[in-house]
Amino acid sequence: MTAVEKQKIAEFLDIAGDYLSCGYRGDKKDYIFNDEEQIEAPWGAPWGAPLEDSLEKIALEIQNCKNCPLCAARKNAVPGEGVSNPVVLVIGEGPGADEDLQGRPFVGKAGQLLDKMLEAIQLSRKTNCFIANVVKCRPPNNRDPHPQEAEICSTFLQRQIEVLKPKFILLVGIISAKTVIKSTQPVGNIRGKFIDYKTDNLSIPLLVTYHPAALLRTESYKRPAWEDLKLLRSRIDALEN
Ligand code: URA
């Protein structure tokens, strides 16, 4: 605390003392205050100051996480991958078998399709996207993550969003829509329009579309998904030009 801050607190306490003694002005003491020395913690941040979060720190915590039962069967946790200042943060559901083996998001069939979809609008995890999931460990037999698992794990996702500060968020599939924007609607009802994802510090345009695995199963989802991607591209162009 600085000397000025201490002085202000002392003045406030003096006034509060006067108030408590029904307005009688008591004797005022002259205090002499000094600035407190900032003591450096071993890792560089002053004691008491919030530590800077980082993608690496979050990834390490995810790899060691035992906050929910999904940790029991994982081969690898999957924190996510991509650039650290993404234009778009893509958020899926959770790792499948391929992702669990490699510790990387969207590397199976659905992932290959996701990469093609992104490439069609000049996006890629190598240059301008970050790919993450709601849950970072594979749910057994590829079942949907339970809402409680998603809730527990989404603290990591929220921290990733705060660190990444993406220009846009693309939610693929119902699980990420349920978890991130608390939607109770099917994807068909909420896709195709931007909403704002708001935190205390950020407001990020967010779009929901179909999960690439759903596109592999259901041909009729492909056209609306393409419309969503074109809409995303046009918003990016509007921002960049
Ligand atoms: N499906 C997802 O939602 N995420 C992955 O990482 C892989 C498949």
Side-chain angles (χ1 to χ4, degrees), residues 78 91-96 99 104-108 110-111 131-133 172 211-213:
V78 182
I91 304 176
E93 174 179 325
E99 291 77 20
R104 298 178 54 215
F106 280 101
V107 289
I131 317 275
N133 281 305
V172 293
H211 193 287

